[in-house]
Amino acid sequence: MAMDSTTSGTPTIQYHNITDQPVTAIVAVPVSTYQRNQRHCFGNSIPGEFPLSANPSIVLHVLTTCNLDPQDLAKLEATCSFFRQPASFAPDYELSMSELAALDMCQKRAIFKPMTPEERQDLKQRCGGSWKLVLRFLLAGEACCRREKPQAIAGPGHSIAVTSNGVVYSFGSNSSGQLGHGTTEEEWRPRLIRSLQGIRIIQAAAGPGRTMLISDAGEVYAFGKDSFGEVEYGGQGTKNVATPQLVESLKNIFVVQAAIGNFFTAVLSREGRVYTFSWGNDGRLGHQAEPNDVEPHPLLGALENIPVVQIAAGYCYLLALACQPSGMSVYSVGCGLGGKLGHGSRTDEKYPRLIEKFQLLNLQPMVVAAGAWHAAVVGRDGRVCTWGWGRYGCLGHGNEECESVPKVVDALSKVKAVHVATGDYTTFVVSDDGDVYSFGCGESASLGHNAAAADDGQVNRHPNVLSPELVTSLKEVKERVVQISLTNSVYWNAHTFALTESGKLYAFGAGDKGQLGVELVNNQTERGNPEQVDVDLR
């Protein structure tokens, strides 16, 4: 709570009672001379000194409670030998003060707490042999995936909302049981998935007719079409599952994220390893597998020994945000049509390949997004890059041309972005002050730009947007937006969610199956302006 002189009990200083004096009179006042004592990290107990070496536990407490980032801890080591030398504290007496502070902060992270000492050491080696690098890995994953924070998923025809306490609501289309309520009936309002009582969900993913949920224990629950591949058509799904079922083939993998493409499903483990299901014929994802294979396969190649913090699945390709000692990087694998793999060509990649363009742009990727046919990245400095198919202006470069390597969106040069979301030829960007920009296909009113209603109650056809435009309708809610989610499917009309800092959820776009979670009147099938969904995600 902010304090001022009226609430803290501190008497107000009456500045107007201070007599004005000429500047020369103030300067002329004799100034007492004091002995200057130099502060040292390793002092000699001279009065006035505060030797850090005599109070290491206090220093460690300050470093930990201030939540310094790994870069700051590294700078301390570089500038002062006190932070580099062994601190002689448990659990490892050889660790430096900065390393101990990093370890303490790692132990606060939810996915790190349950790890055994052996698992923690394995993660440390995988990240580069430093607890500071482990901390950076954990923080990067939290930042881009909203772990243990409220989130909303705008799936193809159905929607998932997760509260900060891990409670899950679902609504919309339910023809395959993808809402998890034990029925196949549509839901037009958010409905609690009661069978998950006692299970805390931290991540969700939605594909055509299918939903996957991840618990804080790393377990994966799936429902809807019983298939990990080609879910759009359901060719491999022999049955539908209408309530959340534990995925047995993943029980030995602690999963923290899932991504559903059209021909495959991918999951990310706590240690930063990527596993894929299905679409393995001809080694498309670095392994051979039958289309209906339910066993996870580790993603082979360049990422086998590099920790990944986020994965994003497009229609037929996968992006991975990797965390290396040298910095953050992006790898891509799968179908290269349209240049969406970002390598300057349109050829397929059977194994993950580094997108080199970010190094040339001097951009540190922090968030990745994979649309159906195009991709986007937000850099540490707030720049946004897009590439792939440019249809309808979804790349934001003022045209509909394809880009086979990442290209900075110049129209956002004065915006510091912190989040990006992509769908089927649509893109949304969230700035650090909560403003939202969108561009691309205007169909289904999913871009959020105010649309006029026709006489028959239907929303007029919306124009495509070739360059980023501020979503003024979200400014009117007078709350800071922290997450955008939009439909990423070529076969469903799109809808969009905007989640605010206070946990309020706003919806707009297509709502013909109840996927908006709000009431539509006068035979409407979509909403052009954001409307608050009756669900509290705090």
Side-chain angles (χ1 to χ4, degrees):
M1 174 179 176
M3 298 182 66
D4 56 31
S5 60
T6 61
T7 60
S8 64
T10 303
T12 303
I13 299 175
Q14 301 299 321
Y15 291 102
H16 58 272
N17 291 331
I18 300 176
T19 305
D20 289 335
Q21 300 182 59
V23 174
T24 54
I26 298 175
V27 173
V29 175
V31 179
S32 300
T33 302
Y34 296 96
Q35 179 182 356
R36 294 185 177 182
N37 293 315
Q38 186 177 1
R39 295 172 181 258
H40 297 283
C41 290
F42 296 95
N44 297 316
S45 299
I46 299 174
E49 290 188 344
F50 179 74
L52 297 181
S53 59
N55 303 274
S57 60
I58 296 178
V59 176
L60 179 60
H61 177 73
V62 171
L63 292 180
T64 303
T65 54
C66 287
N67 290 320
L68 295 181
D69 64 34
Q71 289 83 1
D72 290 333
L73 294 175
K75 290 176 182 177
L76 286 175
E77 284 190 344
T79 57
C80 181
S81 61
F82 170 75
F83 295 99
R84 293 195 299 270
Q85 296 187 3
S88 299
F89 278 121
D92 187 340
Y93 295 99
E94 295 299 317
L95 289 180
S96 68
M97 188 65 68
S98 294
E99 277 288 276
L100 272 173
L103 176 56
D104 282 355
M105 285 186 276
C106 286
Q107 292 172 337
K108 296 179 182 180
R109 320 329 295 184
I111 69 171
F112 189 85
K113 288 179 182 178
M115 297 180 76
T116 66
E118 293 76 15
E119 290 171 335
R120 293 180 178 185
Q121 287 297 327
D122 288 344
L123 179 59
K124 179 182 178 182
Q125 295 307 312
R126 183 169 171 78
C127 289
S130 164
W131 291 119
K132 294 186 293 295
L133 294 176
V134 174
L135 179 60
R136 187 182 69 169
F137 166 77
L138 296 174
L139 292 176
E142 291 176 4
C144 60
C145 297
R146 293 190 61 80
R147 290 176 188 157
E148 298 192 89
K149 294 181 180 179
Q151 56 188 278
I153 309 298
H158 75 288
S159 304
I160 304 295
V162 184
T163 73
S164 59
N165 294 322
V167 176
V168 183
Y169 293 84
S170 61
F171 44 102
S173 175
N174 196 27
S175 58
S176 301
Q178 63 264 41
L179 298 186
H181 301 303
T183 72
T184 54
E185 298 177 359
E186 292 178 358
E187 296 287 343
W188 284 69
R189 294 288 183 180
R191 179 180 173 185
L192 177 69
I193 302 182
R194 298 189 180 278
S195 61
L196 292 171
Q197 185 174 1
I199 300 172
R200 186 166 187 252
I201 300 300
I202 62 169
Q203 278 283 308
R210 184 168 176 81
T211 303
M212 297 179 73
L213 304 175
I214 300 167
S215 76
D216 60 353
E219 295 178 322
V220 180
Y221 296 84
F223 42 102
K225 291 182 180 179
D226 186 26
S227 171
F228 283 109
E230 210 160 344
V231 291
E232 197 84 64
Y233 307 104
Q236 280 70 42
T238 57
K239 62 178 181 178
N240 295 330
V241 178
T243 56
Q245 301 293 318
L246 188 66
V247 179
E248 292 291 335
S249 61
L250 288 170
K251 63 183 180 181
N252 293 323
I253 301 173
F254 195 111
V255 176
V256 295
Q257 190 199 347
I260 303 175
N262 189 72
F263 300 101
F264 67 95
T265 298
V267 297
L268 178 64
S269 78
R270 176 175 56 183
E271 299 78 20
R273 292 186 172 90
V274 182
Y275 298 83
T276 58
F277 295 86
S278 190
W279 208 42
N281 289 356
D282 302 321
R284 285 192 183 96
L285 292 177
H287 64 258
Q288 292 290 340
E290 295 300 320
N292 58 352
D293 193 358
V294 297
E295 293 296 323
H297 296 266
L299 191 61
L300 303 178
L303 292 176
E304 289 183 70
N305 297 309
I306 299 175
V308 172
V309 299
Q310 182 199 358
I311 53 175
Y315 185 79
C316 52
Y317 70 106
L318 180 71
L319 297 180
L321 178 62
C323 185
Q324 299 172 267
S326 59
M328 307 296 289
S329 56
V330 181
Y331 289 76
S332 61
V333 61
C335 172
L337 288 178
K340 57 185 177 290
L341 295 186
H343 304 303
S345 68
R346 301 186 180 188
T347 58
D348 298 348
E349 297 290 341
K350 295 183 178 181
Y351 297 94
R353 179 180 171 186
L354 174 67
I355 299 179
E356 299 177 353
K357 183 65 175 180
F358 295 116
Q359 295 175 338
L360 299 176
L361 293 172
N362 193 28
L363 185 144
Q364 281 275 321
M366 298 304 294
V367 181
V368 298
W373 306 105
H374 74 292
V377 152
V378 172
R380 180 183 294 276
D381 58 6
R383 284 183 292 169
V384 178
C385 288
T386 58
W387 67 97
W389 289 99
R391 193 176 181 186
Y392 305 123
C394 63
L395 301 185
H397 301 308
N399 54 49
E400 297 189 46
E401 297 178 4
C402 295
E403 298 290 343
S404 60
V405 295
K407 181 178 179 180
V408 175
V409 181
D410 291 332
L412 293 171
S413 60
K414 296 182 179 180
V415 174
K416 184 175 182 180
V418 293
H419 173 69
V420 65
T422 50
D424 177 28
Y425 297 122
T426 50
T427 306
F428 278 75
V429 173
V430 181
S431 73
D432 61 346
D433 58 7
D435 285 341
V436 179
Y437 301 81
S438 67
F439 42 100
C441 181
E443 195 173 326
S444 302
S446 62
L447 290 181
H449 301 299
N450 289 309
D455 294 337
D456 60 0
Q458 297 293 315
V459 177
N460 286 326
R461 178 171 176 81
H462 314 283
N464 301 322
V465 179
L466 303 185
S467 296
E469 289 187 8
L470 180 68
V471 183
T472 55
S473 57
L474 283 174
K475 292 282 286 186
E476 296 171 5
V477 305
K478 300 187 184 305
E479 287 208 49
R480 184 172 178 268
V481 174
V482 295
Q483 185 215 356
I484 292 287
S485 177
L486 61 154
T487 307
N488 191 13
S489 172
V490 298
Y491 296 104
W492 284 84
N493 290 331
H495 69 291
T496 303
F497 287 133
L499 179 64
T500 70
E501 200 167 31
S502 66
K504 294 178 182 177
L505 184 63
Y506 293 85
F508 50 96
D512 54 313
K513 296 294 183 180
Q515 62 266 47
L516 294 179
V518 300
E519 183 179 358
L520 297 179
V521 296
N522 299 327
N523 296 319
Q524 288 181 326
T525 59
E526 58 188 46
R527 289 199 65 86
N529 289 312
E531 181 169 335
Q532 186 175 348
V533 183
D534 187 17
V535 61
D536 187 357
L537 299 186
R538 288 176 295 180

